[in-house]
């Protein structure tokens, strides 16, 4: 079977470990294709438990297709062990979220995928990368080696000679089938399938049944194990066809197209009776058994479905047609009792002081429990502290199949009235329990999950139904509130998604404006007061794509005029929201900046508006959000302000955080600069330039530094260094090392000796940070420079369009161990010397050699060789389109009048 989209496959081998990877599209056929990919890769390894792996991969691939609805990638890694093999399977999709195993309801056919993986795998987990969409679910399983005998010769479903069955084979023909059928499913898979409430039957491609779980045998009335070896045509005789080859025709013409779909079917029981079921087919290739057809089915209860449909329709009719003077509670109870087959139904609501009161009682006939109805008529609170109180306090339904033997409610008095079973469920309105319906039966009734599920689904509607009986206007208001709640949820879900996916705050504000339409309005305008007091328009978005060009003009050319009249100015001054159901021509002329602005508003069909303030309760108003009805004819009212103000809270949060971030970042970078030299001293005959570029991500202070220390009239020390980390501790250590090194260079003059003494200072402190440093002591007369390095990158010399590394073998970083640091001399004549910290060349996810090659190329491309130009050009080239996580320091020096001397960059001994 071909997957209807291109797939990619990669293979990688590391020693004896092998890994293969393939990508699949979001299509149902990808599930068997992924399963075939696994079996194809592992076929011939001699492992027995491939069924477990195939089942677990099928579940994860199904989740990727049905829930993630994205393409997915399957990676299989096989690692040999002393006995057997370890197999890790990884399934990666592109959807967000963190899946966890759920406990599905017993009568639900889905929701067991991760439970199956959890049960069968040796280990499993979920990986989510921060800042990236998508997730990986993986599992690991150890495969034991198969017995030495040839498994294919022992078991092959499609070997007609060995199986001894043909299409349409009878049970008698299958009676002598050997015990090879036990090979599938393996015990781990069998234990999972046998626990399902849904029936599972597996056949080969000829229709011979090789496995049926307990639920299938019970549903069809067959004794344990008696279905194995029979023909599937005995269960579905309509497939036999005139010549008995119906199953083969079905496999050739229909099976692949029906796989994965829920289908109605009629099967025969052991007694020959028809059983109406829903079946889901799955077809896959088994490494030993060949083609396997698996059907998962459950009984189709047409009567119950019809009963549910009738009940739901009747309840909706009550909701729509309830008159003001005829409260529908009694008709509600009658509908529930009649449709669901109960003898008595009661409605309980909260009265004064929190007491539960029985408001209505419905009985199927007057002869059913007459004493119960009389008791409630005499005292409407009797029995309220039993079942109704429990449901109210817990907010959950309760089903009592046998009241007489229930420890909690046996003394509730219901048994005394002749009731044997009871069911009670909460009625909610706006999330709150506003009533309880209690249903009673004079016969035993087993727990019916279908009824519980239905009542849970319609419980909210029942609350609305009761509430609607007050008056017609209130009923209309309820509908409006429900629609508003839906809009609110849609908007808040989208807003939360934006806040989690977008990081640039200007983009975030624009995205929030985009999701506000058309849910809240046709047009959204967001105006922000800058820190200099000017009002800027940060977003303008229209729901109609054809009107966005005009809307862009409102963004770029027509922000609110600070000297004019505009709702934004009024709201920013008062801090209170404004709205109007209409926008008259006079209003538009008064608030527009010029005639062109007025024409745009008329062309966009401005009809109604809301303007709400931006700002938290503890700060001034920083801007506004304006929502405009522009083309739809919608008229805003005070009720619409709620969602607009909710949007304003989201935007306020984004802007406030962004401004706080900018302030903190400015402060931290200013602090960093204050820890560096105030100015570079003038050096006779030499040009020197230094640059410090803070990290683009994060606002913590860092540990990068540079220094230029005149030693005497002839010698000067050029220093660059880096302390591990980006926090105040790194800055403190940096300041201490820089100041100490400046004094040590003055005393020692030899850079290696100065580093040895600085290393002793670092070792004697309680610091736990690595630090690197590169010192070059330059003789400004001769051009000889002596370098020594403590774990720092070597400098580079730019000369005559070439860039060459001046190799300075580094010693250990500072504070690691006592050691000697070597001196290395170079002769500088022409060209520009460049020293830098590792933040210039290191990037996460990029090879260092590639970055060094880019550094060399950027230095060669510098338009001139003066230190200022070289420093700026190199930093621009190395940080273009990058979000660096580290600070960058560049220190450059060149002899004045360079170009008249000899060759520079020559090592001296």
């Amino acid at each position: 079977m071909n997957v209807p989209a291109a797939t990619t496959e990669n293979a990688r081998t590391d020693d004896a470990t092998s890994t293969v990877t393939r990508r699949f599209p979001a299509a149902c056929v990808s599930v068997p294709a992924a399963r075939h990919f696994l079996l194809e890769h592992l076929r011939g390894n001699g492992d027995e438990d491939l069924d477990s792996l195939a089942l677990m991969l099928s579940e994860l691939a199904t989740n990727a297709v049905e829930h993630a609805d994205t393409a997915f990638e399957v990676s299989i890694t096989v690692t040999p062990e002393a006995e057997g093999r370890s197999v890790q399977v990884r399934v990666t999709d592109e959807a967000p979220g963190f899946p966890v195993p759920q406990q599905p309801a017993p009568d639900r056919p889905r929701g067991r995928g991760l439970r199956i993986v959890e049960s069968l795998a040796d280990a499993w987990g979920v990986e989510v990368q921060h800042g990236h969409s998508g997730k990986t679910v993986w599992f690991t399983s150890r495969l034991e080696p198969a017995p030495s005998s040839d498994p294919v010769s022992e078991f092959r479903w499609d070997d007609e000679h060995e199986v001894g069955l043909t299409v349409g084979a009878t049970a008698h023909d299958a009676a002598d089938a050997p015990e090879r059928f036990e090979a599938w499913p393996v015990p781990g898979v069998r234990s999972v399938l046998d626990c399902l409430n849904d029936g599972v039957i597996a056949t080969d491609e000829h229709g011979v049944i090789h496995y049926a779980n307990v639920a299938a045998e019970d549903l069809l009335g067959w004794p344990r194990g008696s279905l194995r070896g029979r023909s599937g045509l005995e269960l579905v005789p309509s497939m036999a066809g005139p010549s008995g080859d119906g199953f083969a025709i079905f496999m050739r013409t229909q099976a692949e197209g029906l796989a994965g779909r829920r289908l109605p079917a009629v099967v025969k029981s052991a007694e020959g009776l028809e059983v109406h079921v829903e079946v889901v087919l799955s077809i896959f290739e088994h490494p030993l058994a060949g083609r396997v057809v698996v059907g998962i089915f459950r009984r189709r209860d047409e009567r119950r479905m019809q009963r549910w449909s009738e009940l739901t329709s009747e309840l909706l009719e009550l909701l729509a047609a309830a008159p003001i003077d005829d409260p529908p509670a009694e008709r509600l109870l009658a509908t529930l009792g009649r449709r669901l087959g109960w003898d008595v139904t009661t409605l309980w609501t909260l009265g004064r002081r929190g007491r539960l009161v029985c408001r209505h009682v419905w009985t199927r006939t007057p002869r059913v429990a007459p004493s119960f109805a009389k008791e409630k008529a005499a005292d409407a609170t009797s029995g309220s502290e039993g079942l109704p109180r429990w449901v109210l306090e817990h907010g959950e339904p309760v089903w009592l199949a046998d009241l007489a033997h229930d420890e909690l409610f046996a003394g509730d008095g219901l048994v005394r009235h002749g009731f044997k079973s009871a069911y009670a469920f909460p009625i909610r309105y706006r999330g709150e329990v506003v009533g309880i319906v209690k249903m009673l039966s004079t016969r035993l009734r087993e727990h019916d999950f279908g009824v519980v599920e239905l009542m849970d689904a319609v419980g909210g509607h029942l609350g609305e139904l009761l509430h609607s009986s007050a008056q017609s206007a209130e009923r209309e208001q309820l509908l409006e509130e429900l629609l508003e709640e839906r809009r609110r949820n849609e908007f808040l879900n989208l807003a939360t998604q934006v806040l989690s996916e977008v990081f640039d705050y200007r983009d975030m504000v624009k995205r929030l404006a985009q999701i506000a339409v058309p849910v809240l309005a046709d047009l959204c305008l967001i105006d922000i007061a800058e820190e200099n007091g000017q009002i800027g328009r940060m977003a303008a978005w229209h729901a109609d794509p054809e009107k966005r060009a005009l809307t862009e003009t409102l963004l770029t050319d027509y922000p609110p005029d600070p000297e004019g009249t505009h709702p934004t100015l009024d709201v920013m001054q008062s801090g209170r929201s404004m709205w109007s159901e209409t926008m008259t021509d006079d209003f538009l002329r008064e608030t527009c900046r010029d005639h062109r602005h007025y024409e745009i508003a008329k062309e966009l069909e401005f009809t109604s508006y809301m303007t709400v303030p931006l700002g938290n309760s503890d700060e001034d108003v920083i801007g506004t959000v304006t929502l405009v009805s522009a083309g739809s004819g919608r008229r805003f009212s005070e009720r619409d302000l709620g969602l607009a103000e909710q949007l304003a809270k989201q935007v306020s949060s984004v802007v406030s955080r962004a401004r706080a971030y900018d302030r903190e970042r400015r402060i931290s970078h200013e602090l960093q600069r204050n820890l560096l030299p105030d100015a570079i001293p003038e050096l006779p005959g030499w040009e020197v330039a230094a640059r410090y570029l803070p990290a683009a991500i994060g606002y913590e202070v860092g540990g990068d530094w540079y220094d230029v220390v005149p030693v005497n009239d002839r010698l000067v020390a050029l220093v660059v260094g880096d302390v591990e980390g980006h926090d105040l501790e790194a800055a403190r250590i940096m300041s201490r090392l820089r100041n100490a090194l400046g004094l040590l260079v003055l005393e020692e003059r030899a850079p290696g000796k100065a580093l040895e003494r600085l290393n002793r200072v670092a070792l004697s402190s309680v610091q736990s940070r690595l630090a690197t440093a590169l010192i070059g002591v330059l003789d400004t007369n001769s051009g000889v420079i002596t370098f020594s390095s403590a774990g720092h990158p070597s400098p580079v010399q730019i000369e005559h369009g070439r860039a060459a590394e001046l190799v300075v073998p580094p010693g250990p970083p500072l504070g690691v161990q006592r050691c000697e640091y070597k001196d290395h001399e170079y002769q500088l004549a022409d060209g520009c010397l460049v020293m830098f910290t590792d933040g210039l060349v290191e990037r996460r996810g990029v090879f260092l050699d590639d970055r060094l090659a880019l550094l060399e190329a950027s230095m060669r491309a510098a338009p001139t060789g003066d230190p200022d130009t070289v420093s700026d050009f190199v930093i621009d080239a190395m940080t273009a389109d990058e979000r660096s996580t580290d600070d960058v320091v560049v220190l450059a020096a060149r002899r004045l009048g360079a170009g008249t001397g000899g060759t520079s960059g020559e090592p001296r001994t």
Side-chain angles (χ1 to χ4, degrees), residues 544-560:
D544 186 350
E546 295 183 358
K547 296 182 177 180
R548 287 175 187 162
L550 280 178
T551 305
E552 184 70 18
T553 306
L554 296 180
L555 174 68
T556 57
D557 298 345
Y558 293 111

Side-chain angles (χ1 to χ4, degrees), residues 237-571:
S238 60
M239 291 179 58
S243 58
D245 58 353
F247 194 88
I249 296 174
F250 170 77
M251 290 297 296
R252 289 196 308 269
T253 61
Q254 300 183 53
E256 295 290 351
L258 297 178
R261 296 167 55 187
R262 178 173 294 188
L263 307 168
V266 179
V267 297
K268 290 288 186 180
S269 69
E271 293 80 13
L273 301 176
E274 291 186 349
V275 180
H276 293 261
V277 299
E278 291 179 339
V279 62
V280 178
L281 294 180
S282 179
I283 304 172
F284 62 92
E285 297 290 335
H286 189 275
L288 303 180
R291 209 170 207 196
V292 182
V293 182
V294 177
I296 304 174
F297 58 94
R298 63 191 302 189
R299 184 184 296 275
R300 181 180 177 87
D301 192 341
E302 299 287 352
R303 290 178 301 174
R304 186 176 69 173
M305 295 183 65
Q306 182 179 1
R307 183 178 62 177
W308 283 18
S309 176
E310 292 173 352
L311 173 61
T312 304
S313 298
E314 190 164 344
L315 291 176
L316 292 178
E317 289 175 5
L318 285 174
L319 176 62
I324 297 175
D325 57 350
D326 181 16
E330 293 184 4
R331 287 182 294 143
L332 163 66
L333 296 179
T335 299
L336 294 177
R338 237 183 10 258
R339 295 294 186 187
L340 301 179
W342 294 88
D343 296 314
V344 174
T345 54
T346 59
L347 173 65
W348 300 74
T349 60
L350 280 173
R352 294 181 179 179
R353 301 177 183 177
R355 299 188 67 183
L356 279 166
V357 179
C358 182
R359 301 294 186 185
H360 300 279
V361 178
W362 173 86
T363 59
R364 184 175 296 277
T365 68
R367 293 189 299 272
V368 175
S371 59
F372 177 81
K374 290 179 180 179
E375 181 181 292
K376 294 298 177 286
D379 182 5
T381 63
S382 63
S384 62
E385 296 306 309
L387 204 53
R389 177 62 62 181
W390 190 96
V391 174
L392 176 67
E393 292 178 351
H394 292 79
E396 298 291 338
V398 59
W399 188 295
L400 305 176
D402 189 349
L403 278 169
H405 295 89
D406 187 86
E407 296 180 357
L408 188 59
F409 299 107
D412 198 14
L414 297 175
V415 175
R416 173 167 46 86
H417 294 294
F419 297 115
K420 296 182 179 180
S421 296
Y423 167 53
F425 63 92
I427 295 177
R428 290 185 173 86
Y429 179 71
R430 295 183 177 178
E432 298 293 330
V433 177
V434 296
I436 295 96
V437 170
K438 183 169 68 173
M439 300 191 284
L440 305 169
S441 176
T442 56
R443 57 185 176 85
L444 292 176
R445 293 190 56 161
E446 293 299 324
H447 193 287
D448 188 334
F449 288 102
V451 172
V452 175
E453 183 180 355
L454 175 62
M455 290 300 98
D456 182 62
V458 303
H461 293 297
L462 300 182
E464 297 163 12
L465 177 59
L466 295 178
H467 186 75
S468 69
S469 64
Q471 54 182 354
S472 174
E474 187 176 349
R475 190 164 60 248
E476 293 176 2
Q477 181 181 356
L478 170 62
L479 184 58
E480 292 179 3
E481 289 174 355
L482 292 175
L483 293 175
E484 181 179 339
E485 187 66 23
R486 179 180 176 182
R487 288 164 44 216
R488 181 188 300 273
N489 290 335
E490 291 176 355
F491 167 71
L492 293 181
N493 288 337
L494 291 172
T496 301
Q497 183 177 350
V498 168
L499 295 178
S500 64
E501 293 179 352
V502 184
F503 297 98
D504 181 82
Y505 101 94
R506 294 183 181 275
D507 290 342
M508 198 176 295
V509 170
K510 182 177 179 180
R511 287 282 303 277
L512 288 172
Q514 292 172 354
I515 66 171
V517 299
V519 177
L520 306 184
D522 303 316
L523 171 68
C524 179
L525 307 171
I526 300 180
D527 302 313
I528 305 292
E530 304 293 344
E531 294 188 350
N532 60 7
Q534 295 294 317
I535 298 176
R537 178 153 286 167
M538 292 190 63
W541 193 259
H542 201 289
D544 186 350
E546 295 183 358
K547 296 182 177 180
R548 287 175 187 162
L550 280 178
T551 305
E552 184 70 18
T553 306
L554 296 180
L555 174 68
T556 57
D557 298 345
Y558 293 111
D561 183 2
E563 303 298 328
T565 300
H566 199 278
T568 289
L569 304 178
D570 296 337
V571 170

Side-chain angles (χ1 to χ4, degrees), residues 866-885:
D866 69 275
D868 280 300
T869 301
V870 168
S871 299
D872 292 335
F873 189 84
V874 167
I875 287 179
D876 289 344
M878 297 298 290
T879 60
D881 299 325
E882 295 281 352
R883 292 178 62 82
S884 173
T885 59

Side-chain angles (χ1 to χ4, degrees), residues 567-617:
T568 289
L569 304 178
D570 296 337
V571 170
M572 291 187 65
Q573 184 175 4
S574 66
R576 293 189 298 272
S577 300
M578 293 179 60
W579 64 274
S580 177
E581 190 179 81
T582 60
M583 301 176 75
T584 64
D585 286 349
D586 291 341
F587 173 84
L588 292 177
R589 289 191 178 91
E590 186 178 9
T591 55
C592 289
R593 304 188 70 153
D594 55 32
H595 185 68
R596 174 57 183 155
H597 189 188
Y598 171 79
E599 288 181 339
I600 292 174
K602 293 296 290 183
E603 190 170 350
L604 291 175
E605 300 180 66
F606 278 24
T607 303
S608 180
Y609 82 94
M610 296 182 292
T611 300
V612 295
L614 297 177
N616 299 324
S617 57

